[in-house]
Amino acid sequence: MKNVINNIWKHLAAAVLGLLGFASCDITGSGLIMYGEPHADFKALGTVSDEAGNPIEGIRVAISLHRHYDNTPDVIYDPNDWYENDTLFTDDKGAYLLDHSVFSAPDDVTIVFEDVDGEEHGGEFLSETVKTGVTRTKKGDKNWYGGAFEAKADVTLKKQR
């Protein structure tokens, strides 16, 4: 008899818990429930050349993405605190390309170009820092995808004297 009562309680509890679980999935008026996180595609690209127009290979390119609070140019939020600093090197054509997903598009980008290989690849060059804006290349979907954005900077480095 005790087993019969235990089985009845188990089935009753399973039924009540099942009903409560299904009720939690009903639409509650809070709108569409989405999973994931906001993101956008970001690309930084360009070329590095010397004063004669020759491409320079092996230049270190360090990219910092900046967002501004309330469109105030003096107040910067730097998402590189969350990610590793984006550092790449130019190829044999002097080109660089950073292409990845970001949480949201930056307002502007600071790119530092630095010769770190000394005399290799055409001599020693002075460092250059460029601040550039960001252009939208693709619209978002008005949900989690914010679109595609691009920052382009072509620079000419001067040789050290």
Side-chain angles (χ1 to χ4, degrees):
M1 181 72 169
K2 188 175 182 181
N3 285 339
V4 173
I5 293 174
N6 280 339
N7 282 337
I8 290 173
W9 278 114
K10 286 180 189 177
H11 290 297
L12 185 60
V16 169
L17 290 175
L19 290 174
L20 290 175
F22 287 120
S24 68
C25 294
D26 288 343
I27 295 176
T28 60
S30 62
L32 180 65
I33 298 172
M34 299 189 314
Y35 297 95
E37 67 181 11
H39 68 283
D41 296 324
F42 176 73
K43 188 182 291 188
L45 69 154
T47 59
V48 179
S49 59
D50 62 15
E51 293 173 297
N54 300 316
I56 308 172
E57 180 180 357
I59 298 296
R60 186 172 81 91
V61 182
I63 301 170
S64 297
L65 312 177
H66 302 132
R67 289 184 199 84
H68 301 282
Y69 287 122
D70 300 321
N71 295 324
T72 307
D74 298 332
V75 181
I76 294 177
Y77 162 68
D78 187 350
N80 283 333
D81 291 339
W82 295 354
Y83 307 109
E84 291 182 27
N85 287 332
D86 295 316
T87 302
L88 11 133
F89 292 88
T90 56
D91 63 14
D92 60 347
K93 295 180 178 108
Y96 66 93
L97 171 66
L98 170 73
D99 188 4
H100 68 89
S101 182
V102 293
F103 187 70
S104 64
D107 294 318
D108 59 62
V109 176
T110 300
I111 306 174
V112 178
F113 301 91
E114 186 177 19
D115 185 359
V116 293
D117 63 8
E119 287 291 327
E120 287 186 54
H121 303 109
E124 293 187 56
F125 295 91
L126 298 172
S127 297
E128 179 86 23
T129 300
V130 174
K131 186 173 181 179
T132 182
V134 176
T135 57
R136 180 186 290 268
T137 59
K138 182 179 177 184
K139 289 186 178 183
D141 63 4
K142 297 185 181 178
N143 288 311
W144 285 124
Y145 180 60
F149 299 85
E150 184 176 286
K152 184 169 175 139
D154 296 323
V155 297
T156 301
L157 296 182
K158 295 179 183 177
K159 281 195 176 185
Q160 288 185 359
R161 308 273 175 212

